[in-house]
Coordinates of all heavy atoms in Angstrom, one line a residue:
M1 N -22.6 35.7 -8.1 CA -23.5 34.8 -8.9 C -22.7 33.5 -9.2 O -23.2 32.4 -9.0 CB -23.9 35.5 -10.1 CG -24.8 34.6 -11.0 SD -26.4 34.3 -10.1 CE -27.1 33.1 -11.3
S2 N -21.4 33.7 -9.6 CA -20.6 32.5 -9.9 C -20.4 31.7 -8.7 O -20.2 30.4 -8.8 CB -19.3 32.9 -10.5 OG -18.5 33.7 -9.6
R3 N -20.3 32.3 -7.5 CA -20.1 31.5 -6.3 C -21.4 30.7 -6.0 O -21.2 29.5 -5.6 CB -19.9 32.5 -5.1 CG -19.6 31.8 -3.8 CD -19.2 32.9 -2.8 NE -17.8 33.2 -2.9 CZ -17.2 34.1 -2.1 NH1 -17.9 34.7 -1.1 NH2 -15.9 34.4 -2.2
L4 N -22.5 31.2 -6.3 CA -23.7 30.4 -6.1 C -23.7 29.2 -7.0 O -24.1 28.1 -6.6 CB -24.9 31.3 -6.3 CG -26.3 30.6 -6.2 CD1 -26.6 30.2 -4.8 CD2 -27.4 31.5 -6.8
L5 N -23.3 29.4 -8.3 CA -23.3 28.3 -9.2 C -22.3 27.2 -8.8 O -22.5 26.0 -8.9 CB -22.9 28.8 -10.6 CG -24.0 29.6 -11.4 CD1 -23.5 30.1 -12.7 CD2 -25.2 28.7 -11.7
F6 N -21.2 27.7 -8.2 CA -20.2 26.8 -7.7 C -20.8 25.9 -6.7 O -20.7 24.6 -6.7 CB -19.0 27.5 -7.2 CG -18.0 26.6 -6.5 CD1 -17.1 25.7 -7.2 CD2 -18.0 26.6 -5.1 CE1 -16.3 24.9 -6.5 CE2 -17.1 25.8 -4.4 CZ -16.3 24.9 -5.1
W7 N -21.4 26.5 -5.7 CA -22.0 25.7 -4.6 C -23.1 24.8 -5.1 O -23.3 23.7 -4.6 CB -22.4 26.6 -3.5 CG -21.3 27.2 -2.7 CD1 -20.9 28.5 -2.7 CD2 -20.4 26.5 -1.9 NE1 -19.7 28.6 -1.9 CE2 -19.4 27.4 -1.4 CE3 -20.3 25.1 -1.5 CZ2 -18.4 27.0 -0.6 CZ3 -19.2 24.8 -0.7 CH2 -18.3 25.7 -0.2
L8 N -23.9 25.3 -6.0 CA -24.9 24.5 -6.6 C -24.4 23.2 -7.3 O -24.9 22.1 -7.1 CB -25.8 25.3 -7.6 CG -27.2 24.8 -8.0 CD1 -28.1 24.8 -6.7 CD2 -27.8 25.6 -9.0
A9 N -23.4 23.5 -8.1 CA -22.7 22.3 -8.8 C -22.1 21.3 -7.8 O -22.2 20.1 -8.0 CB -21.6 22.8 -9.7
L10 N -21.5 21.9 -6.8 CA -20.9 21.0 -5.7 C -22.0 20.2 -5.1 O -21.8 18.9 -4.9 CB -20.2 21.8 -4.7 CG -19.3 21.0 -3.7 CD1 -18.2 20.3 -4.4 CD2 -18.8 22.0 -2.6
A11 N -23.1 20.8 -4.8 CA -24.3 20.1 -4.1 C -24.8 19.0 -5.0 O -25.0 17.8 -4.6 CB -25.4 21.0 -3.8
V12 N -24.9 19.3 -6.3 CA -25.4 18.2 -7.3 C -24.4 17.0 -7.3 O -24.8 15.9 -7.3 CB -25.6 18.9 -8.7 CG1 -25.8 17.8 -9.7 CG2 -26.8 19.8 -8.7
L13 N -23.1 17.3 -7.4 CA -22.1 16.3 -7.4 C -22.2 15.4 -6.1 O -22.1 14.2 -6.2 CB -20.7 16.9 -7.6 CG -20.3 17.3 -8.9 CD1 -19.0 18.0 -8.9 CD2 -20.3 16.2 -9.9
V14 N -22.3 16.1 -5.0 CA -22.4 15.3 -3.7 C -23.7 14.4 -3.7 O -23.6 13.2 -3.4 CB -22.4 16.3 -2.5 CG1 -22.8 15.6 -1.3 CG2 -21.1 16.9 -2.4
V15 N -24.8 14.9 -4.2 CA -26.0 14.1 -4.3 C -25.8 12.9 -5.2 O -26.2 11.8 -4.8 CB -27.2 15.0 -4.7 CG1 -28.4 14.1 -5.1 CG2 -27.6 16.0 -3.7
F16 N -25.2 13.1 -6.4 CA -25.0 12.0 -7.3 C -24.0 11.0 -6.6 O -24.2 9.8 -6.7 CB -24.5 12.5 -8.6 CG -25.5 12.9 -9.5 CD1 -25.8 14.2 -9.9 CD2 -26.4 11.9 -10.1 CE1 -26.8 14.6 -10.7 CE2 -27.4 12.3 -11.0 CZ -27.6 13.6 -11.3
A17 N -23.0 11.4 -6.0 CA -22.0 10.5 -5.4 C -22.7 9.7 -4.2 O -22.5 8.5 -4.2 CB -20.9 11.3 -4.8
V18 N -23.5 10.3 -3.4 CA -24.2 9.7 -2.3 C -25.2 8.7 -2.9 O -25.2 7.5 -2.4 CB -24.9 10.6 -1.4 CG1 -25.8 9.9 -0.4 CG2 -23.8 11.5 -0.7
R19 N -25.9 9.0 -3.9 CA -26.9 8.1 -4.6 C -26.2 6.9 -5.1 O -26.6 5.7 -5.0 CB -27.7 8.8 -5.6 CG -28.7 9.7 -5.0 CD -29.5 10.5 -6.0 NE -30.2 9.7 -6.9 CZ -31.0 10.1 -8.0 NH1 -31.0 11.4 -8.2 NH2 -31.6 9.3 -8.8
A20 N -25.0 7.1 -5.8 CA -24.2 6.0 -6.4 C -23.8 5.1 -5.2 O -23.8 3.8 -5.4 CB -23.1 6.5 -7.2
K21 N -23.3 5.6 -4.1 CA -22.8 4.8 -3.0 C -24.0 3.9 -2.5 O -23.9 2.8 -2.2 CB -22.3 5.7 -1.9 CG -20.9 6.0 -2.0 CD -20.0 4.9 -1.6 CE -18.5 5.3 -1.6 NZ -17.7 4.2 -1.7
I22 N -25.2 4.6 -2.3 CA -26.3 3.9 -1.7 C -26.7 2.7 -2.7 O -27.0 1.6 -2.2 CB -27.5 4.9 -1.5 CG1 -27.2 5.8 -0.3 CG2 -28.8 4.2 -1.2 CD1 -28.1 7.0 -0.1
R23 N -26.8 3.0 -4.0 CA -27.1 2.0 -4.9 C -26.1 0.8 -4.9 O -26.6 -0.3 -4.9 CB -27.2 2.6 -6.3 CG -27.9 1.7 -7.3 CD -27.9 2.3 -8.8 NE -28.4 3.7 -8.8 CZ -27.7 4.6 -9.4 NH1 -26.5 4.4 -9.9 NH2 -28.1 5.9 -9.4
A24 N -24.9 1.1 -4.8 CA -23.9 0.1 -4.7 C -24.0 -0.8 -3.5 O -24.0 -2.0 -3.5 CB -22.5 0.6 -4.8
A25 N -24.3 -0.1 -2.4 CA -24.5 -0.9 -1.1 C -25.8 -1.7 -1.2 O -25.8 -2.8 -0.7 CB -24.6 0.1 0.0
R26 N -26.8 -1.2 -1.8 CA -28.1 -1.9 -1.9 C -27.9 -3.2 -2.7 O -28.4 -4.2 -2.4 CB -29.2 -1.0 -2.5 CG -30.6 -1.6 -2.3 CD -31.6 -0.6 -2.7 NE -31.6 0.6 -1.8 CZ -32.1 1.8 -2.2 NH1 -32.4 2.0 -3.4 NH2 -32.1 2.8 -1.3
E27 N -27.2 -3.0 -3.9 CA -26.9 -4.2 -4.7 C -26.1 -5.2 -4.0 O -26.3 -6.4 -4.1 CB -26.2 -3.7 -6.0 CG -27.1 -3.0 -7.0 CD -26.3 -2.5 -8.2 OE1 -25.1 -2.7 -8.3 OE2 -27.0 -1.8 -9.0
R28 N -25.1 -4.8 -3.2 CA -24.4 -5.7 -2.4 C -25.2 -6.5 -1.4 O -25.1 -7.7 -1.3 CB -23.2 -5.0 -1.7 CG -22.1 -5.8 -1.3 CD -20.9 -5.0 -0.7 NE -20.6 -3.8 -1.4 CZ -20.6 -2.6 -0.8 NH1 -20.9 -2.5 0.5 NH2 -20.2 -1.5 -1.4
V29 N -26.1 -5.8 -0.8 CA -27.0 -6.4 0.2 C -27.9 -7.4 -0.5 O -28.2 -8.5 0.0 CB -27.9 -5.3 0.9 CG1 -29.0 -6.0 1.8 CG2 -26.9 -4.6 1.9
D30 N -28.5 -7.0 -1.7 CA -29.4 -7.9 -2.4 C -28.7 -9.2 -2.8 O -29.2 -10.3 -2.7 CB -29.8 -7.2 -3.7 CG -31.0 -6.2 -3.4 OD1 -31.4 -6.2 -2.3 OD2 -31.4 -5.4 -4.3
R31 N -27.4 -9.0 -3.3 CA -26.7 -10.3 -3.6 C -26.4 -11.2 -2.4 O -26.6 -12.3 -2.5 CB -25.3 -9.8 -4.2 CG -25.3 -9.9 -5.7 CD -23.8 -10.0 -6.2 NE -23.0 -8.9 -5.8 CZ -22.9 -7.8 -6.5 NH1 -23.5 -7.6 -7.6 NH2 -22.2 -6.8 -6.1
A32 N -26.2 -10.5 -1.3 CA -25.9 -11.4 -0.1 C -27.2 -12.0 0.4 O -27.1 -13.2 0.8 CB -25.3 -10.5 1.0
E33 N -28.3 -11.3 0.3 CA -29.6 -11.9 0.7 C -30.0 -13.1 -0.1 O -30.5 -14.1 0.3 CB -30.7 -10.9 0.8 CG -30.6 -9.9 1.9 CD -31.6 -8.8 1.9 OE1 -32.3 -8.7 0.9 OE2 -31.7 -8.0 2.9
H34 N -29.8 -13.0 -1.5 CA -30.2 -14.0 -2.4 C -29.2 -15.1 -2.6 O -29.5 -16.0 -3.3 CB -30.6 -13.4 -3.7 CG -31.7 -12.4 -3.6 ND1 -33.0 -12.8 -3.2 CD2 -31.8 -11.1 -3.9 CE1 -33.8 -11.7 -3.2 NE2 -33.1 -10.6 -3.6
G35 N -28.1 -14.9 -1.9 CA -27.0 -16.0 -1.9 C -26.4 -16.2 -3.3 O -25.7 -17.2 -3.4
A36 N -26.5 -15.3 -4.2 CA -25.9 -15.4 -5.5 C -24.5 -14.8 -5.4 O -24.2 -13.7 -4.8 CB -26.6 -14.6 -6.5
P37 N -23.5 -15.6 -5.8 CA -22.1 -15.1 -5.7 C -21.9 -14.0 -6.7 O -22.6 -14.0 -7.8 CB -21.3 -16.3 -6.1 CG -22.2 -17.2 -6.9 CD -23.6 -16.9 -6.3
P38 N -21.1 -13.1 -6.4 CA -20.8 -12.0 -7.4 C -20.3 -12.6 -8.7 O -19.5 -13.4 -8.7 CB -19.8 -11.1 -6.7 CG -19.2 -12.0 -5.6 CD -20.3 -12.9 -5.3
A39 N -20.9 -12.2 -9.8 CA -20.6 -12.7 -11.1 C -19.2 -12.3 -11.5 O -18.8 -11.1 -11.4 CB -21.6 -12.2 -12.1
A40 N -18.4 -13.3 -11.9 CA -17.1 -13.0 -12.4 C -17.2 -12.5 -13.8 O -17.9 -13.0 -14.7 CB -16.3 -14.3 -12.4
T41 N -16.5 -11.4 -14.1 CA -16.6 -10.8 -15.4 C -15.2 -10.8 -16.0 O -14.2 -10.6 -15.3 CB -17.1 -9.3 -15.4 OG1 -16.3 -8.6 -14.5 CG2 -18.5 -9.3 -14.8
D42 N -15.2 -11.0 -17.3 CA -13.9 -11.0 -18.0 C -13.7 -9.6 -18.6 O -14.4 -8.6 -18.2 CB -13.8 -12.0 -19.1 CG -14.9 -11.8 -20.2 OD1 -15.5 -10.7 -20.2 OD2 -15.1 -12.7 -21.0
A43 N -12.7 -9.4 -19.4 CA -12.3 -8.0 -19.9 C -13.4 -7.4 -20.7 O -13.5 -6.2 -20.7 CB -11.1 -8.1 -20.7
N44 N -14.3 -8.2 -21.3 CA -15.4 -7.7 -22.1 C -16.6 -7.4 -21.3 O -17.6 -6.9 -21.8 CB -15.7 -8.7 -23.2 CG -14.5 -8.9 -24.2 OD1 -13.8 -8.0 -24.4 ND2 -14.4 -10.1 -24.7
G45 N -16.6 -7.7 -20.0 CA -17.7 -7.5 -19.1 C -18.8 -8.6 -19.2 O -19.8 -8.6 -18.5
A46 N -18.5 -9.7 -19.9 CA -19.4 -10.8 -20.0 C -19.1 -11.7 -18.8 O -18.0 -11.8 -18.3 CB -19.1 -11.6 -21.2
T47 N -20.2 -12.4 -18.3 CA -20.0 -13.2 -17.2 C -19.4 -14.6 -17.6 O -19.9 -15.2 -18.5 CB -21.4 -13.5 -16.5 OG1 -22.3 -14.0 -17.4 CG2 -21.9 -12.2 -15.9
G48 N -18.3 -15.0 -16.9 CA -17.8 -16.2 -17.1 C -18.2 -17.3 -16.1 O -17.5 -17.5 -15.2
A49 N -19.4 -17.8 -16.3 CA -20.1 -18.7 -15.3 C -19.3 -20.0 -15.1 O -19.2 -20.6 -14.1 CB -21.5 -19.0 -15.7
S50 N -18.6 -20.5 -16.3 CA -18.0 -21.7 -16.2 C -16.5 -21.6 -16.3 O -15.9 -22.3 -17.1 CB -18.5 -22.7 -17.3 OG -18.2 -22.1 -18.6
A51 N -15.9 -20.6 -15.7 CA -14.5 -20.4 -15.7 C -13.8 -21.5 -15.0 O -14.1 -21.8 -13.8 CB -14.1 -19.0 -15.1
P52 N -12.9 -22.2 -15.6 CA -12.2 -23.4 -15.0 C -11.3 -22.8 -13.9 O -10.7 -21.8 -14.0 CB -11.4 -24.0 -16.1 CG -11.2 -22.9 -17.1 CD -12.4 -22.0 -17.0
I53 N -11.2 -23.7 -12.8 CA -10.3 -23.3 -11.7 C -9.0 -24.1 -12.0 O -9.0 -25.3 -12.1 CB -11.0 -23.8 -10.4 CG1 -12.2 -23.0 -10.1 CG2 -10.0 -23.6 -9.2 CD1 -13.1 -23.5 -9.0
E54 N -8.0 -23.4 -12.0 CA -6.7 -23.9 -12.4 C -5.9 -24.4 -11.1 O -5.9 -23.6 -10.1 CB -5.8 -23.0 -13.1 CG -4.5 -23.5 -13.5 CD -4.1 -23.1 -14.9 OE1 -4.6 -22.1 -15.4 OE2 -3.3 -23.8 -15.6
S55 N -5.4 -25.6 -11.1 CA -4.6 -26.0 -9.9 C -3.3 -25.4 -10.0 O -2.7 -25.1 -11.0 CB -4.5 -27.5 -9.9 OG -3.8 -28.0 -11.1
M56 N -2.7 -25.2 -8.8 CA -1.4 -24.6 -8.6 C -0.4 -25.6 -8.2 O -0.7 -26.6 -7.6 CB -1.5 -23.5 -7.6 CG -2.6 -22.4 -7.9 SD -2.2 -21.4 -9.3 CE -1.0 -20.3 -8.5
T57 N 0.8 -25.3 -8.5 CA 1.9 -26.1 -8.0 C 3.1 -25.2 -7.6 O 3.0 -24.0 -7.9 CB 2.4 -27.1 -9.1 OG1 3.3 -28.0 -8.6 CG2 2.9 -26.4 -10.3
S58 N 4.1 -25.8 -7.0 CA 5.2 -24.9 -6.6 C 6.5 -25.5 -7.2 O 6.7 -26.7 -7.5 CB 5.4 -24.9 -5.1 OG 5.7 -26.2 -4.6
C59 N 7.4 -24.6 -7.5 CA 8.7 -25.0 -8.1 C 9.5 -25.8 -7.1 O 9.6 -25.4 -5.9 CB 9.5 -23.7 -8.5 SG 11.1 -24.1 -9.2
A60 N 10.1 -26.9 -7.6 CA 10.9 -27.7 -6.7 C 12.2 -27.0 -6.3 O 12.8 -27.4 -5.2 CB 11.3 -29.0 -7.4
H61 N 12.6 -26.0 -7.0 CA 13.9 -25.3 -6.7 C 13.6 -24.1 -5.8 O 14.2 -23.9 -4.7 CB 14.7 -25.0 -7.9 CG 15.9 -24.1 -7.6 ND1 17.0 -24.6 -7.0 CD2 16.1 -22.8 -7.8 CE1 17.9 -23.7 -6.8 NE2 17.4 -22.6 -7.3
C62 N 12.8 -23.2 -6.3 CA 12.6 -21.8 -5.6 C 11.3 -21.7 -4.9 O 11.0 -20.7 -4.3 CB 12.7 -20.7 -6.6 SG 11.3 -20.6 -7.8
S63 N 10.4 -22.8 -4.9 CA 9.2 -22.8 -4.1 C 8.2 -21.8 -4.6 O 7.2 -21.5 -3.9 CB 9.4 -22.6 -2.7 OG 10.3 -23.6 -2.2
L64 N 8.4 -21.2 -5.8 CA 7.4 -20.2 -6.3 C 6.1 -21.0 -6.7 O 6.2 -22.1 -7.3 CB 8.0 -19.6 -7.6 CG 7.0 -18.6 -8.3 CD1 7.0 -17.3 -7.6 CD2 7.5 -18.4 -9.8
Y65 N 4.9 -20.4 -6.4 CA 3.6 -21.0 -6.8 C 3.2 -20.4 -8.1 O 3.3 -19.2 -8.3 CB 2.6 -20.7 -5.7 CG 2.7 -21.7 -4.5 CD1 3.5 -21.4 -3.4 CD2 2.0 -22.9 -4.5 CE1 3.6 -22.3 -2.4 CE2 2.1 -23.8 -3.5 CZ 2.9 -23.5 -2.4 OH 3.0 -24.4 -1.4
F66 N 2.7 -21.3 -9.0 CA 2.3 -20.9 -10.3 C 1.3 -21.9 -10.8 O 1.2 -23.0 -10.3 CB 3.5 -20.7 -11.2 CG 4.4 -22.0 -11.3 CD1 4.2 -22.9 -12.3 CD2 5.3 -22.2 -10.4 CE1 4.9 -24.0 -12.4 CE2 6.1 -23.4 -10.5 CZ 5.9 -24.3 -11.5
P67 N 0.6 -21.6 -11.9 CA -0.4 -22.6 -12.5 C 0.3 -23.8 -12.9 O 1.4 -23.8 -13.6 CB -1.0 -21.8 -13.7 CG -0.8 -20.4 -13.3 CD 0.5 -20.3 -12.6
A68 N -0.3 -25.0 -12.7 CA 0.3 -26.2 -13.0 C 0.4 -26.4 -14.5 O 1.3 -27.1 -14.9 CB -0.6 -27.4 -12.4
S69 N -0.4 -25.8 -15.3 CA -0.3 -25.9 -16.7 C 1.0 -25.3 -17.3 O 1.4 -25.6 -18.4 CB -1.5 -25.3 -17.4 OG -1.5 -23.9 -17.1
E70 N 1.6 -24.4 -16.5 CA 2.8 -23.7 -16.9 C 4.1 -24.4 -16.4 O 5.2 -23.9 -16.6 CB 2.8 -22.2 -16.5 CG 1.6 -21.4 -17.1 CD 1.6 -20.0 -16.5 OE1 2.6 -19.6 -15.9 OE2 0.6 -19.4 -16.7
A71 N 3.9 -25.5 -15.7 CA 5.0 -26.2 -15.1 C 5.9 -26.8 -16.1 O 5.5 -27.4 -17.1 CB 4.5 -27.2 -14.1
V72 N 7.2 -26.8 -15.8 CA 8.2 -27.6 -16.6 C 8.4 -28.8 -15.7 O 8.9 -28.7 -14.6 CB 9.5 -26.8 -16.8 CG1 10.5 -27.6 -17.6 CG2 9.2 -25.5 -17.5
R73 N 8.1 -30.0 -16.2 CA 8.2 -31.2 -15.4 C 9.4 -32.0 -15.8 O 9.7 -32.2 -17.0 CB 6.9 -32.1 -15.7 CG 5.7 -31.4 -15.0 CD 4.5 -32.4 -14.9 NE 3.4 -31.7 -14.2 CZ 2.5 -30.9 -14.7 NH1 2.6 -30.7 -16.0 NH2 1.7 -30.3 -13.9
A74 N 10.1 -32.4 -14.7 CA 11.3 -33.3 -15.0 C 11.5 -34.1 -13.7 O 11.4 -33.7 -12.6 CB 12.6 -32.4 -15.2
D75 N 11.7 -35.4 -13.9 CA 11.9 -36.4 -12.9 C 10.8 -36.4 -11.9 O 11.0 -36.5 -10.6 CB 13.2 -36.1 -12.1 CG 14.5 -36.2 -13.1 OD1 14.4 -37.0 -14.0 OD2 15.5 -35.5 -12.8
G76 N 9.6 -36.2 -12.3 CA 8.4 -36.2 -11.4 C 8.2 -34.9 -10.6 O 7.4 -34.9 -9.7
L77 N 9.1 -33.9 -10.8 CA 9.0 -32.7 -10.1 C 8.5 -31.6 -11.0 O 8.8 -31.6 -12.2 CB 10.3 -32.3 -9.4 CG 10.9 -33.3 -8.4 CD1 12.3 -33.0 -8.0 CD2 9.9 -33.4 -7.2
D78 N 7.9 -30.5 -10.4 CA 7.5 -29.3 -11.2 C 8.5 -28.2 -11.0 O 9.0 -27.9 -9.8 CB 6.1 -28.9 -10.7 CG 5.0 -29.9 -11.1 OD1 5.2 -30.6 -12.0 OD2 4.0 -29.9 -10.4
Y79 N 8.8 -27.5 -12.1 CA 9.7 -26.4 -12.0 C 9.1 -25.2 -12.6 O 8.3 -25.3 -13.6 CB 11.1 -26.7 -12.7 CG 11.9 -27.8 -12.0 CD1 11.7 -29.1 -12.4 CD2 12.8 -27.5 -11.0 CE1 12.4 -30.1 -11.8 CE2 13.5 -28.5 -10.4 CZ 13.3 -29.8 -10.8 OH 14.0 -30.8 -10.2
C80 N 9.4 -24.0 -12.2 CA 8.8 -22.8 -12.8 C 9.4 -22.4 -14.1 O 8.8 -21.7 -14.9 CB 9.0 -21.6 -11.8 SG 10.7 -21.1 -11.6
C81 N 10.6 -22.8 -14.4 CA 11.2 -22.4 -15.7 C 12.3 -23.5 -16.0 O 12.8 -24.2 -15.2 CB 11.8 -21.0 -15.6 SG 13.1 -20.8 -14.3
P82 N 12.7 -23.6 -17.3 CA 13.8 -24.6 -17.7 C 15.1 -24.3 -16.9 O 15.8 -25.3 -16.7 CB 14.0 -24.3 -19.2 CG 12.7 -23.7 -19.6 CD 12.2 -22.9 -18.5
A83 N 15.4 -23.1 -16.6 CA 16.7 -22.8 -15.9 C 16.7 -23.5 -14.5 O 17.8 -24.0 -14.1 CB 16.9 -21.3 -15.7
H84 N 15.5 -23.6 -13.8 CA 15.5 -24.2 -12.5 C 15.5 -25.7 -12.6 O 15.8 -26.4 -11.6 CB 14.3 -23.7 -11.7 CG 14.5 -22.3 -11.2 ND1 13.5 -21.7 -10.4 CD2 15.5 -21.5 -11.3 CE1 14.0 -20.5 -10.1 NE2 15.2 -20.3 -10.6
V85 N 15.2 -26.3 -13.8 CA 15.3 -27.8 -13.9 C 16.8 -28.2 -13.7 O 17.1 -29.2 -13.1 CB 14.8 -28.2 -15.3 CG1 15.1 -29.7 -15.5 CG2 13.4 -27.9 -15.4
R86 N 17.7 -27.4 -14.2 CA 19.2 -27.7 -14.1 C 19.7 -27.5 -12.7 O 20.8 -28.0 -12.3 CB 19.9 -26.8 -15.1 CG 19.7 -27.2 -16.5 CD 20.6 -26.5 -17.4 NE 20.4 -25.0 -17.5 CZ 19.6 -24.4 -18.3 NH1 18.9 -25.1 -19.2 NH2 19.5 -23.1 -18.3
L87 N 19.0 -26.7 -11.8 CA 19.5 -26.4 -10.4 C 18.9 -27.5 -9.5 O 17.9 -28.1 -9.8 CB 19.0 -25.0 -10.1 CG 19.6 -23.9 -10.9 CD1 18.9 -22.6 -10.6 CD2 21.1 -23.8 -10.8
P88 N 19.6 -27.7 -8.4 CA 19.2 -28.7 -7.4 C 17.8 -28.4 -6.8 O 17.6 -27.2 -6.4 CB 20.3 -28.8 -6.4 CG 20.9 -27.4 -6.5 CD 20.8 -27.0 -7.9
A89 N 17.0 -29.4 -6.6 CA 15.7 -29.3 -5.9 C 16.0 -29.1 -4.4 O 16.9 -29.7 -3.8 CB 14.8 -30.5 -6.2
K90 N 15.1 -28.4 -3.7 CA 15.2 -28.2 -2.3 C 14.7 -29.4 -1.6 O 13.7 -30.0 -1.9 CB 14.5 -26.9 -1.8 CG 15.3 -25.7 -2.1 CD 14.6 -24.5 -1.6 CE 15.4 -23.2 -1.8 NZ 14.7 -22.0 -1.5
Ligands
LIG101 ZN1 11.8 -22.0 -9.7

């Protein structure tokens, strides 16, 4: 009897997993057909429709790419940290 319950529970789990997969695939197709880009969500799940795009820059010493707002600027060059300002630019 317990073996039958095990197989029944397994069958129910498989059915739910397949239905979730089908639903996800259908939503993906709907989004692609209607041309709507996938909504960007933040940590709270809210859609950030007007999320600003941040420009990137690279460090003059180590060539690391990082957001331009975090740059340390000296002599018209961008650096990733104050320590690299003191080191020679490449
Ligand atoms: Zn650097």
Side-chain angles (χ1 to χ4, degrees):
M1 184 64 189
S2 64
R3 184 173 279 181
L4 178 68
L5 285 176
F6 169 76
W7 287 111
L8 198 65
L10 189 66
V12 168
L13 283 175
V14 167
V15 167
F16 274 108
V18 168
R19 285 174 63 181
K21 274 280 187 202
I22 290 172
R23 193 180 313 126
R26 193 173 294 154
E27 285 174 5
R28 204 177 313 124
V29 168
D30 282 351
R31 259 201 301 272
E33 284 176 353
H34 298 301
T41 57
D42 62 14
N44 298 327
T47 55
S50 62
I53 298 171
E54 180 139 25
S55 63
M56 302 290 281
T57 187
S58 64
C59 176
H61 175 71
C62 68
S63 303
L64 176 79
Y65 278 90
F66 55 95
S69 64
E70 298 174 12
V72 179
R73 291 193 171 85
D75 300 330
L77 297 172
D78 292 337
Y79 295 90
C80 65
C81 59
H84 283 183
V85 174
R86 292 190 293 269
L87 298 170
K90 280 186 180 173

